[in-house]
Amino acid sequence: FEATREIRRKEAATGEHLPIVAVTANAQGVDRDNSLAAGMDDYLTKPLQKDELLRVIEHFLAADSIARRVA
């Protein structure tokens, strides 16, 4: 959480955004809430499911592609 907060703090000065996805064995709602509150963009639980991992990767690749076309 601390590393994510620091990355987000530095991004505030640059306007850049690095996607950060939590991957954890903790599957409680509070864990997801804490991850998102720390600045993470998404949350996956272990064991990873291939379809969910691909969904998240594709989401951020598509978002990056759109951002590049707009810029």
Side-chain angles (χ1 to χ4, degrees), residues 32-48:
R32 178 180 177 80
D33 294 342
N34 289 339
S35 297
L36 298 176
M40 296 181 195
D41 297 290
D42 210 333
Y43 174 90
L44 296 171
T45 58
K46 294 178 185 176
L48 286 175

Side-chain angles (χ1 to χ4, degrees), residues 6 10 12 27 37 44 55 64-65:
E6 182 63 16
K10 289 181 179 181
L44 296 171
R55 177 193 61 79
D64 184 56
S65 177

Side-chain angles (χ1 to χ4, degrees), residues 1-2 4 14 21 23 27 35 38 41-43 55 61 64 69:
F1 296 128
E2 184 177 335
T4 298
T14 66
V21 178
V23 178
S35 297
D41 297 290
D42 210 333
Y43 174 90
R55 177 193 61 79
L61 287 175
D64 184 56
R69 282 184 269 158

Side-chain angles (χ1 to χ4, degrees), residues 9-65:
R9 186 187 68 73
K10 289 181 179 181
E11 287 176 340
T14 66
E16 296 179 3
H17 183 81
L18 175 69
I20 301 174
V21 178
V23 178
T24 180
N26 297 324
Q28 298 178 0
V30 70
D31 298 310
R32 178 180 177 80
D33 294 342
N34 289 339
S35 297
L36 298 176
M40 296 181 195
D41 297 290
D42 210 333
Y43 174 90
L44 296 171
T45 58
K46 294 178 185 176
L48 286 175
Q49 300 298 314
K50 182 175 111 178
D51 293 341
E52 281 297 302
L53 179 59
L54 290 174
R55 177 193 61 79
V56 169
I57 292 170
E58 288 172 354
H59 169 79
F60 290 110
L61 287 175
D64 184 56
S65 177

